[in-house]
Amino acid sequence: MNAIIFSALAGVVMMYSGIITSKKTVIKYIAAIALVVLIAANLLQVYGIWQISVDTRDMLSFEKFGLVFNTLAFTATLIYVLLSGKEIENAGVNVAEYFALIFFVLCGVSILSSFNGLLMMFLGIEILTIPLYILTASDKRNLRSNEASLKYFLMGSFSTGIMLMGIALVYGATGSFALHTNAPVALSATGGIKASFLEVAGMILMFVSMAFKVSAAPFHFWTPDVYDGAPGVFTSFMATVVKAAGFIAFIRLFEGHTAILGPTWKILLAFVIVATLLIGNVTAVFQQSVKRMLSYSSIAQAGFMLFALYSSNDMAKEGLLLYSVAYSLATIGIFAVLIKLKDYAFDDFNGLGKTHPALAFATTVCLLSLAGIPLTGGFFAKYYMLASMVKEGGPLWLLIVAVLFAAVSVYYYFRVIQAMYFKEGTPSVQTEITSGFKAGMVLLAILIILLGIAPSLVLNLFYF
Amino acid sequence: MSKLVYLVPLFPLLGFLINGLGRKSLSKTMVGIVGSGAILASFIVSLCIFFDVKEHGATVVNLFSFIRTESFSIPFAFQVDQLSSVFLLIITGIGFLIHLYSSAYMHEEPNEHFGRFFAYLNLFVFSMLLLVLGANYVIMFIGWEGVGLCSYLLIGFWFKNDNYNYAAKKAFVMNRIGDLGFLLAVFWLLFKLGTVTYGDVFANVAQLSTFDITAITMLLFVGAMGKSAQLPLYTWLPDAMAGPTPVSALIHAATMVTAGIYMIARSNILYTLAPATQTVIAVVGLATAIFAATIALKQNDIKKVLAYSTVSQLGYMFLGLGVGAYTGAVFHVMTHAFFKALLFLGAGSVIHAMHHEQDIRKMGGLKKYMPVTHITFLLACLAIAGIPPFSGFFSKDEILMAAYGKNPLYYYIGLGGALMTAFYMFRLYTMTFLGNFRGTHEQQHHLHESPSAMTIPLIVLAILSVAGGWIGIPDVMIEHGHQLEHFLAPVFAESAKLAEHHHLEASTEYMFMGVSTVAIIIVIILAVNAYRKYQDNGAENTGLGKVLENKWYIDELYDAVIVNPLNALAGFLKNVVEKSGIDGVVNGVGRLVGYGSRQLRLLQSGQVGNYILVMVLAMVVFVLIWFNDQTIMDFLSKIF
């Protein structure tokens, strides 16, 4: 409860901070402090020291998994604000509002990590999404930003409709919004679990809607357009913290209910995973803009995260936390560098290795992590995903396909490394690069490598 | 004290890091102090450990878990016992003297390369210590590979010379061939016993069939052949002379080549249970001893003679191992380390004085210019020739006596080799130090004794070469004279129980000693007489002499039989198989992905209507699959 209350409060505080001061930097620091407070408040609840108790009539339940995810998400946001704060300041006029919206998104994240009923889940998703529509359009005079926002809104509404329809059907079948009452109804004669038509149909609709949120194929179409059109600094946020929260909600929603869906569930999920990996990885190969490449890469990474849903055992949940952290940190790092460059083309990175060796090194580590090279966090993230799938008895060919697509991903990630180190040129750095930023990036790289050497750092959080 | 054993390899590792990272900024003095000091510190700890072991016996020190799986675990543990503590003393003691010597010998190198040299030396010693200390075959293998790497780095130290690089590569490849044998043996052990820890392996040898033991020991021996330069994998060692002379001393005396001996002595129980392998080892060792000695007879490069002499002496050690005289082999490792280090450092001193001239035909008469080098070199020659009471006499005698007990023929052939050893060593000595100087006038002008940093190690080693054998005086001469044997007895206890004992009559033993000593002295006199008045008349060797000078044409043989066919095969694979086959497939995959990317991109039309249409269609398909179409279900469930 601490996380939900404090993030909402922080959002309100941020809105008023715009009235008190017009200095953008001050607002940024207020946001950073608010984040620290938020993390501290959440940690207090994680360790069971102090928490605000509100009777939610079992609509929310605070488990360690969700609370740990909150901590990780808030920390990732803090790193994001520290690294890309300058760009948030410059994204538009109303800086205080942007930070306020980010905190409202975090409020949605906290709800999604603790909902115990369909209604709360719906609320969480909407609280999470609506600020994003606005953030996408924050570059008001830019036509592409507006277009992206409108597209996002149109398709988002469509998916919300589907979600609501699904919830309505499930409610009709079971008479409850609660997650854990719609457990298996009866066993059929053949030993399979028989659930009512309405309930299964409702689940399918919710699945479609959630697949849309996490940009799984073939419901991913909004992702490249929106990520590409939105201001880079907000794309970074959307592609990381928000996406990870979507997965947490996804796995919380379906965990323990897949039996109702029957064996077809796994087949269709495998199809969705393969389609997501295929479209994400293969389409990314041809992109000419790093930003657009990264949005396809986020689809590809979503394909990997879907394995957690496929196996949905304890290992998968641990792995998903690790994946969220490894993927978010790496993506935040790359975007932090990317948005300092003039446009988002591969050529912009030419010669970065010579002019900014520290930045190039950190970016390389981030890219290696995304590609899943050993000694970076990304390797163990992918490993846990695949291992949990194997543990659950998933088919071998699925594993091979996943690994092959991971190999394809090396191609487009390494194009950036190639540009940085093997091509001549002067990178067009727009914003001034402070030594603090460099130090931050190097620390980020070290953190990613640390995760790659001792993934138990994150996994132990889950157990301790 | 044994608990602190990790300090022994830690110091050289730190030395390596400091010198390696600071090679550009540290001064030469500093580098020398760090490099030599690290080994000295290790030596002091090793001494303490030695006395601790002598007092309290052996222990295994567990540091941390290195590899752990469900079915087996490999701890990172150190074996502190009699055998390893003796080797620790040899490695760090002689290693330190060589480091000290190098700080003067390498002084002409530029700052950065000086630091690099010492970093490599320290790493070399570190690897060797790891090899010796490891309490299982995997840790040993880490050191085993480490010394291989370091020898490569040091032989090719002057990397601007292509020939030196070639020699370095040769050493590395030859060693890799042996390493493969070692690795297979380790896997075999792991497969059969589920453990590679010495204690567990030796306790459970009974579970292995004769075939397994023979195969494992043979494979391990292949590893030893590579590392300890035995037939047919010895050719890298003479070429390794390309490295700076202290490196040769280090490789030949303190590290690297003794690794094979150590490994077999460590695994003595396995070998005792595999008599077939023992016979192979004895025969290979003996053949190597003789073969290398014949080549050494006709070499004119001062370091080459010493190199072949090492190969030959290693042959004796393997003969000892093969006939079950493990103590004798370790004893010979020790004495050989003393006098061979001395010989190499002495040769280095000569080369230093002669401005990098290594051809003994152009030397002569150095006696009066370099008194310390001369005396110490002479003592080393007497030691290696096996004149009592110098150290080499006792160790070689012990091996030959044991060989006689096994098969008298071994003894006679071995004695023949020993006579050749005496001959080529004194040929070398005479041509270098006696007679008249045959070099250029300018060289003669610059002849000088080396600085004290070089002569002090020579003197220390000379004392050891003379007196080092006295810890192993045969029991027939002095009751309980063989202190080394009593010290090492626990390590070889199991083997000693199993092995058959041949006790020679004391009178027989005295007779053999007398005969061999007299024969050796006669050979020495012959050699000195033959070469005292040597003049370089430019005459080519003919007949057998030419064959020997060209090392039996073994390198040429390997080139013709192995290297050239392999090169041809590689050329075929490169030009035909790869160009037309593999490249096509690989590039084809790349092109396919690129094509797919261009096509899939078109799905992203930018029209929201299209997007939603596809989503709805997918949704409809999902619902259909779930509820209606049994045929689709059947079809899909067949695939998945």
Side-chain angles (χ1 to χ4, degrees):
Chain A
M1 205 69 208
N2 289 4
I4 299 174
I5 293 172
F6 273 84
S7 53
L9 277 179
V12 176
V13 168
M14 288 318 295
M15 284 168 74
Y16 283 102
S17 73
I19 300 174
I20 300 162
T21 172
S22 57
K23 285 202 183 101
K24 293 175 171 181
T25 320
V26 175
I27 295 174
K28 184 178 83 179
Y29 286 127
I30 295 175
I33 292 164
L35 269 169
V36 173
V37 172
L38 181 55
I39 293 169
N42 186 60
L43 278 178
L44 285 178
Q45 185 167 4
V46 173
Y47 289 103
I49 299 168
W50 174 78
Q51 66 193 65
I52 302 170
S53 305
V54 176
D55 182 14
T56 57
R57 298 186 184 265
D58 254 2
M59 296 217 283
L60 293 173
S61 77
F62 300 97
E63 294 142 16
K64 193 142 265 178
F65 180 67
L67 292 174
V68 170
F69 176 75
N70 283 351
T71 318
L72 297 175
F74 298 159
T75 315
T77 313
L78 180 63
I79 294 174
Y80 159 75
V81 167
L82 292 179
L83 282 179
S84 300
K86 196 87 197 154
E87 279 69 26
I88 304 179
E89 288 173 28
N90 299 336
V93 203
N94 310 309
V95 182
E97 274 82 344
Y98 302 150
F99 282 113
L101 289 170
I102 286 175
F103 276 106
F104 290 137
V105 170
L106 289 183
C107 181
V109 169
S110 330
I111 295 176
L112 283 182
S113 68
S114 58
F115 67 83
N116 201 24
L118 299 178
L119 212 52
M120 270 307 181
M121 180 190 76
F122 179 72
L123 268 181
I125 285 180
E126 289 309 300
I127 294 177
L128 180 87
T129 324
I130 291 170
L132 292 180
Y133 299 148
I134 308 170
L135 286 178
T136 307
S138 57
D139 195 357
K140 264 192 274 189
R141 289 189 183 75
N142 187 335
L143 204 59
R144 296 190 52 192
S145 173
N146 285 321
E147 182 197 334
S149 175
L150 192 61
K151 272 185 182 171
Y152 193 12
F153 179 63
L154 278 177
M155 284 189 276
S157 315
F158 181 69
S159 114
T160 302
I162 295 172
M163 165 74 69
L164 276 177
M165 186 67 196
I167 292 175
L169 289 181
V170 171
Y171 183 75
T174 63
S176 162
F177 286 125
L179 265 188
H180 293 288
T181 49
N182 51 9
V185 185
L187 290 172
S188 71
T190 50
I193 294 160
K194 204 80 185 151
S196 71
F197 177 85
L198 278 185
E199 190 177 0
V200 175
M203 296 287 274
I204 294 173
L205 291 183
M206 286 199 284
F207 172 72
V208 167
S209 177
M210 286 309 291
F212 172 89
K213 292 290 176 212
V214 299
S215 57
F219 312 102
H220 66 283
F221 290 105
W222 61 277
T223 317
D225 290 3
V226 172
Y227 282 13
D228 200 20
V233 61
F234 296 126
T235 308
S236 169
F237 187 59
M238 276 194 275
T240 53
V241 177
V242 174
K243 173 162 280 188
F247 269 101
I248 295 298
F250 209 162
I251 201 166
R252 279 181 64 85
L253 177 61
F254 280 89
E255 187 190 9
H257 303 289
T258 49
I260 305 172
L261 297 168
T264 328
W265 158 252
K266 290 246 153 136
I267 298 171
L268 278 181
L269 193 57
F271 163 74
V272 169
I273 290 173
V274 171
T276 311
L277 287 172
L278 174 80
I279 288 178
N281 283 305
V282 174
T283 318
V285 166
F286 195 71
Q287 299 307 318
Q288 302 305 317
S289 137
V290 176
K291 194 178 175 192
R292 208 167 166 83
M293 178 275 275
L294 282 173
S295 46
Y296 279 104
S297 123
S298 91
I299 297 175
Q301 303 283 352
F304 259 98
M305 287 196 252
L306 280 173
F307 278 114
L309 196 63
Y310 186 93
S311 29
S312 73
N313 47 21
D314 276 351
M315 191 177 187
K317 285 169 84 177
E318 288 163 31
L320 188 60
L321 283 185
L322 185 63
Y323 209 110
S324 306
V325 175
Y327 164 71
S328 298
L329 290 184
T331 310
I332 287 173
I334 296 172
F335 266 105
V337 174
L338 182 67
I339 53 187
K340 298 233 181 252
L341 303 176
K342 199 160 113 271
D343 0 275
Y344 302 120
F346 280 93
D347 291 345
D348 275 12
F349 280 91
N350 287 0
L352 196 74
K354 283 228 176 68
T355 54
H356 298 89
L359 285 192
F361 163 75
T363 314
T364 305
V365 172
C366 291
L367 288 163
L368 292 178
S369 179
L370 285 184
I373 306 292
L375 282 190
T376 60
F379 168 74
F380 271 109
K382 282 195 167 60
Y383 168 80
Y384 268 87
M385 287 293 131
L386 296 177
S388 74
M389 194 266 285
V390 170
K391 205 173 172 186
E392 200 64 20
L396 187 65
W397 65 265
L398 194 56
L399 178 85
I400 295 171
V401 166
V403 172
L404 285 181
F405 278 123
V408 172
S409 79
V410 170
Y411 175 84
Y412 52 83
Y413 290 132
F414 277 42
R415 271 179 76 187
V416 181
I417 299 179
Q418 184 204 23
M420 285 192 295
Y421 286 102
F422 300 111
K423 288 195 176 162
E424 299 294 324
T426 35
S428 47
V429 180
Q430 264 193 321
T431 340
E432 186 205 358
I433 290 176
T434 61
S435 48
F437 178 71
K438 276 186 207 163
M441 285 298 293
V442 170
L443 281 178
L444 185 72
I446 291 171
L447 195 61
I448 290 173
I449 292 173
L450 210 61
L451 276 176
I453 295 168
S456 44
L457 279 183
V458 172
L459 298 182
N460 279 351
L461 281 179
F462 190 47
Y463 281 125
F464 55 88
Chain B
M1 192 62 216
S2 295
K3 290 268 171 276
L4 295 178
V5 65
Y6 63 87
L7 287 175
V8 179
L10 186 67
F11 286 124
L13 183 63
L14 289 177
F16 159 68
L17 290 176
I18 294 170
N19 281 340
L21 296 174
R23 63 185 188 279
K24 286 184 183 161
S25 48
L26 292 176
S27 72
K28 284 185 193 176
T29 325
M30 202 57 211
V31 167
I33 289 172
V34 169
S36 312
I39 310 295
L40 182 63
S42 290
F43 177 65
I44 292 166
V45 179
S46 302
L47 261 182
C48 300
I49 286 172
F50 176 79
F51 287 114
D52 194 56
V53 169
K54 204 170 177 188
E55 198 92 333
H56 304 292
T59 53
V60 173
V61 180
N62 260 310
L63 294 181
F64 54 89
S65 174
F66 181 53
I67 297 174
R68 194 170 50 204
T69 70
E70 272 172 9
S71 51
F72 68 93
S73 77
I74 298 172
F76 202 100
F78 285 160
Q79 183 92 14
V80 186
D81 65 2
Q82 291 81 1
L83 185 61
S84 57
S85 63
V86 167
F87 268 84
L88 286 189
L89 287 181
I90 300 175
I91 296 164
T92 54
I94 296 182
F96 167 66
L97 293 175
I98 293 169
H99 275 68
L100 184 64
Y101 178 93
S102 305
S103 62
Y105 187 84
M106 299 299 286
H107 216 266
E108 290 163 23
E109 291 293 316
N111 218 355
E112 186 186 341
H113 292 297
F114 190 74
R116 187 166 63 91
F117 182 76
F118 269 87
Y120 288 165
L121 280 191
N122 276 353
L123 189 64
F124 208 156
V125 173
F126 165 74
S127 308
M128 190 65 198
L129 291 171
L130 210 56
L131 190 159
V132 167
L133 278 174
N136 57 56
Y137 285 103
V138 171
I139 305 298
M140 183 193 255
F141 188 67
I142 299 174
W144 193 267
E145 289 294 290
V147 292
L149 169 72
C150 294
S151 65
Y152 167 79
L153 293 172
L154 282 166
I155 294 167
F157 180 73
W158 286 312
F159 52 78
K160 284 184 182 149
N161 184 326
D162 257 354
N163 284 335
Y164 293 178
N165 282 336
Y166 179 76
K169 270 187 277 182
K170 189 170 177 182
F172 198 69
V173 171
M174 284 285 178
N175 269 293
R176 292 299 303 170
I177 297 172
D179 294 347
L180 180 65
F182 189 108
L183 208 53
L184 288 175
V186 173
F187 283 129
W188 201 314
L189 271 177
L190 203 56
F191 176 64
K192 286 286 174 187
L193 294 180
T195 176
V196 289
T197 305
Y198 297 144
D200 299 343
V201 170
F202 301 154
N204 293 319
V205 272
Q207 293 175 20
L208 294 171
S209 67
T210 317
F211 173 74
D212 284 336
I213 291 197
T214 311
I216 290 168
T217 49
M218 280 303 294
L219 286 170
L220 282 175
F221 179 53
V222 170
M225 273 180 193
K227 203 108 300 186
S228 295
Q230 294 299 291
L231 280 175
L233 298 180
Y234 73 97
T235 55
W236 67 270
L237 191 61
D239 284 18
M241 293 302 113
T245 312
V247 173
S248 311
L250 199 61
I251 289 180
H252 289 249
T255 63
M256 189 90 181
V257 294
T258 55
I261 318 281
Y262 171 77
M263 187 264 290
I264 291 178
R266 171 61 72 202
S267 325
N268 61 78
I269 299 168
L270 296 179
Y271 281 88
T272 307
L273 290 172
T277 315
Q278 279 194 309
T279 311
V280 171
I281 293 178
V283 170
V284 168
L286 199 56
T288 310
I290 297 296
F291 185 77
T294 58
I295 297 176
L297 290 174
K298 283 287 172 192
Q299 294 303 308
N300 291 318
D301 182 320
I302 185 167
K303 283 171 77 182
K304 283 268 157 89
V305 177
L306 294 178
Y308 281 104
S309 142
T310 303
V311 177
S312 169
Q313 296 298 315
L314 287 167
Y316 282 110
M317 296 176 208
F318 277 99
L319 173 64
L321 294 173
V323 300
Y326 300 111
T327 315
V330 174
F331 189 22
H332 200 51
V333 165
M334 194 180 86
T335 57
H336 176 257
F338 296 150
F339 54 69
K340 191 49 68 66
L342 176 54
L343 287 169
F344 266 112
L345 297 186
S349 177
V350 169
I351 294 166
H352 193 69
M354 294 283 296
H355 284 271
H356 298 280
E357 176 60 67
Q358 304 192 4
D359 193 333
I360 52 173
R361 286 171 298 194
K362 302 205 172 87
M363 297 178 183
L366 296 183
K367 183 174 149 184
K368 60 174 180 260
Y369 302 101
M370 313 179 70
V372 180
T373 309
H374 163 248
I375 293 293
T376 51
F377 202 89
L378 176 63
L379 292 174
C381 287
L382 289 170
I384 193 173
I387 301 289
F390 297 98
S391 59
F393 166 75
F394 296 104
S395 53
K396 200 183 280 183
D397 182 66
E398 184 174 345
I399 290 175
L400 287 178
M401 285 304 153
Y404 184 83
K406 198 91 171 178
N407 185 344
L409 193 61
Y410 290 167
Y411 176 81
Y412 295 121
I413 299 175
L415 185 62
L419 295 179
M420 276 194 264
T421 308
F423 187 83
Y424 65 70
M425 283 316 299
F426 276 86
R427 168 177 175 268
L428 178 69
Y429 165 76
T430 314
M431 284 177 74
T432 309
F433 291 101
L434 305 183
N436 298 318
F437 187 72
R438 296 180 295 274
T440 61
H441 193 70
E442 200 187 338
Q443 282 174 330
Q444 187 166 20
H445 185 67
H446 283 112
L447 284 175
H448 57 276
E449 183 56 278
S450 301
S452 56
M454 285 164 72
T455 50
I456 290 170
L458 292 181
I459 294 166
V460 175
L461 284 168
I463 295 168
L464 289 171
S465 301
V466 174
W470 299 346
I471 59 161
I473 297 168
D475 286 349
V476 289
M477 289 185 176
I478 301 171
E479 194 72 15
H480 297 298
H482 207 319
Q483 289 169 13
L484 186 69
E485 187 172 358
H486 298 301
F487 181 66
L488 289 177
V491 180
F492 304 125
E494 289 294 317
S495 297
K497 261 186 250 163
L498 295 165
E500 28 183 335
H501 289 277
H502 304 273
H503 261 295
L504 295 181
E505 291 293 318
S507 58
T508 327
E509 223 175 314
Y510 275 122
M511 188 194 77
F512 278 128
M513 283 180 199
V515 169
S516 66
T517 308
V518 169
I520 286 169
I521 291 174
I522 293 171
V523 167
I524 290 174
I525 294 169
L526 282 176
V528 173
N529 259 327
Y531 288 96
R532 196 158 44 97
K533 301 218 167 79
Y534 177 83
Q535 279 304 324
D536 192 9
N537 50 16
E540 292 276 317
N541 278 314
T542 50
L544 186 62
K546 189 164 184 225
V547 175
L548 292 182
E549 191 178 358
N550 286 299
K551 312 153 201 165
W552 294 95
Y553 295 103
I554 289 293
D555 280 331
E556 287 76 4
L557 182 73
Y558 283 0
D559 276 350
V561 177
I562 297 171
V563 178
N564 290 341
L566 273 179
N567 276 340
L569 181 66
F572 170 75
L573 290 175
K574 175 178 167 235
N575 294 325
V576 181
V577 177
E578 192 189 342
K579 283 243 168 74
S580 55
I582 296 173
D583 274 4
V585 174
V586 172
N587 293 336
V589 169
R591 269 199 293 275
L592 185 71
V593 172
Y595 174 79
S597 182
R598 281 195 296 283
Q599 301 308 313
L600 273 179
R601 184 174 66 101
L602 300 178
L603 276 179
Q604 199 73 27
S605 58
Q607 304 291 323
V608 176
N610 286 354
Y611 296 168
I612 290 182
L613 181 66
V614 175
M615 281 168 65
V616 169
L617 284 177
M619 216 157 71
V620 169
V621 171
F622 277 20
V623 173
L624 273 183
I625 290 175
W626 235 302
F627 292 113
N628 285 321
D629 204 327
Q630 198 59 41
T631 43
I632 297 177
M633 261 309 301
D634 288 346
F635 174 71
L636 287 174
S637 57
K638 259 178 217 150
I639 303 177
F640 292 93

